[in-house]
Amino acid sequence: MIGGNKSAKTYSQCMEFVFWATGTHPYQETPPPPVHLRWVTTDVNDGIQKVALPKFRSIVKTKDLLGGGWDRAYSKELRTLIFANGSTIEFMSYDQEADKFGGADRHLIGFDEPPPYDIYNECLARTITFKGRIILTLTPVNLTARTSWICDFYL
């Protein structure tokens, strides 16, 4: 999704994740829960704590969460939100080393803001097993030398 600042890109991506996690997508067929998702953003403090988590808190119904609420469903240590149906959303950031993005297979990976190529590439490999999907949300003016590969690759 490409749009200007404050055009609801992050909110839209959050909604997409909730649809997938709960198996309630109104517009497309998604794998049945449990599904395993990864949200990747700029950094832990701003991207996850100040932006992503508050948006998810405003969208996710507590009945859909493990234990019926955020206290049981969100692990701060693992940065993972667990749904009652077993679906998970793992939160990661660009300030982590690319090798931390390996390992586990994911059904859907979303990048909130342009990712560095090495992190994107490592995440892309995580979608192979499930024939998963990738979502990029960005404002084109935010592209830097580190993320200019997006223009070459996608545009």
Side-chain angles (χ1 to χ4, degrees):
M1 289 182 271
I2 296 175
N5 290 324
K6 306 308 266 174
S7 63
K9 297 178 304 295
T10 300
Y11 180 83
S12 298
Q13 184 167 302
C14 285
M15 285 302 304
E16 188 73 12
F17 269 59
V18 172
F19 291 152
W20 278 64
T22 58
T24 59
H25 206 295
Y27 307 115
Q28 63 179 307
E29 188 174 329
T30 60
V35 293
H36 304 290
L37 317 175
R38 177 180 287 170
W39 179 279
V40 193
T41 190
T42 54
D43 57 46
V44 173
N45 189 45
D46 291 325
I48 296 173
Q49 299 297 330
K50 292 181 183 177
V51 177
L53 291 179
K55 284 198 184 346
F56 276 102
R57 280 183 180 269
S58 73
I59 294 170
V60 177
K61 297 175 184 171
T62 55
K63 72 174 182 64
D64 290 330
L65 295 173
L66 179 70
W70 278 84
D71 292 340
R72 291 212 40 219
Y74 183 70
S75 168
K76 289 181 184 179
E77 181 182 337
L78 300 175
R79 289 192 206 118
T80 300
L81 181 61
I82 306 168
F83 288 76
N85 64 14
S87 292
T88 60
I89 301 175
E90 164 188 59
F91 295 89
M92 298 184 77
S93 65
Y94 305 148
D95 52 9
Q96 294 177 263
E97 296 296 321
D99 64 346
K100 300 292 184 192
F101 292 82
D105 295 320
R106 296 289 176 248
H107 293 88
L108 175 68
I109 298 175
F111 295 98
D112 189 36
E113 298 303 334
Y117 182 73
D118 58 343
I119 290 175
Y120 173 84
N121 201 39
E122 191 61 49
C123 286
L124 183 61
R126 303 305 122 223
T127 63
I128 294 170
T129 299
F130 296 131
K131 296 181 182 171
R133 296 191 187 148
I134 298 254
I135 298 173
L136 292 166
T137 59
L138 60 102
T139 301
V141 296
N142 291 346
L143 296 178
T144 64
R146 182 191 70 166
T147 57
S148 63
W149 67 268
I150 294 171
C151 291
D152 297 335
F153 190 78
Y154 283 100
L155 304 177

